[in-house]
Amino acid sequence: MEEYNLNPTIQLPPQLSTFAPEIDRIYYFIYWVSVVFFVGIVGAMVYFLWKYRRRAGSKSSPTGHNNALELFWTFSPLILLFIMFHWGFQVYMHTAVAPDDAMNIQVTASRWKWEFLSPEGSPSNNEVYVPVGRPVRLVMSSQDVLHSFFVPDFRVKRDVVPGMFSSLWFQAVDRPDENPNDNELYSVQVFCTEYCGTGHSDMMATIHVLNAAQYAAFVQQGPPPPPGLTPAQWGGQLFGTNCAVCHSREPGVINNYPNFHNLWGRQERLADGTTVTVNEEYVRESILNPGAKVVNGFTPAMPNFHFPDSQLNALVEYLKTLHE
Ligand code: CUA
């Protein structure tokens, strides 16, 4: 059973994926080999500088040759190099080839956001939800320039290139040291690590790691509201990105779509001559099945939206705020 160091060290962040420990072991091996050689070589240099310094009356003699010494300092680094290559290649193969049962998530990078598409759930920007203890494979591409997907806590990093797919995988480990909140066990930060323009340093995303029950709730109800937002505020954001382009909230704006100024609670005349009150039930139906009740004077032009329940509820909460 692998032990994970859940606390950051001076050099490295916590080990939150299953292959973090093996990557750290080879990292520290190479690090300490480098430290030993650095101290040895620089130490010898300084010692020889002092030993063979210029002194009055002392003259250098020609150097000799020592086969045994030459063989030693040629082959011992070579052997170390073979060890590093072989070991590194093994770890590389382990991290490069995802297990067959891995869950696939599509990632599309563009300046300057990460868009995730999970098998369950709707696309989301800069937020992705993964189950703990299950292998997850990301299949990534870019819409514009080179980006690079980097999760230090998971020890994964891979370039994201326009015109091709690259992939990486990880399996998040449990964190019994952190108190889980209702929605997730913990979350880790994603960075873009290939300079991609002015927004490069803001191009970050969050991976939310969920336990089995939380993941089941996510699949069924959709993602929870982003931290710090009330459902109505979240609904306002969703309205802004999904609905505002057609439905104006300004008084008196007339276009081809119903105006939402003072929407909530008003009486809407429908194409079939009946009237309906704008309430939860009507709004829900109109989002999921826009053709069911068409407002008088408008053509049924709205596409079906497949919001998960959590987002649908947030939208309803927001629409409730549109009243006199
Ligand atoms: Cu995307 Cu840097």
Side-chain angles (χ1 to χ4, degrees), residues 17-19 94 97-105 119 130-138 168-173 215:
S17 76
T18 47
F19 46 57
H94 183 201
V97 183
D100 287 342
D101 61 342
M103 178 185 129
N104 282 295
I105 295 179
V130 301
V132 73
R134 265 180 63 187
V136 174
R137 179 168 174 260
L138 303 185
L168 58 79
W169 77 279
F170 56 81
Q171 179 171 328
V173 301
Y215 193 73

Side-chain angles (χ1 to χ4, degrees), residues 112 114 146-148 192-196 200 203:
W112 287 276
W114 300 101
L146 262 183
H147 302 274
S148 187
C192 179
T193 180
E194 187 74 62
Y195 182 68
C196 55
H200 161 71
M203 192 170 163

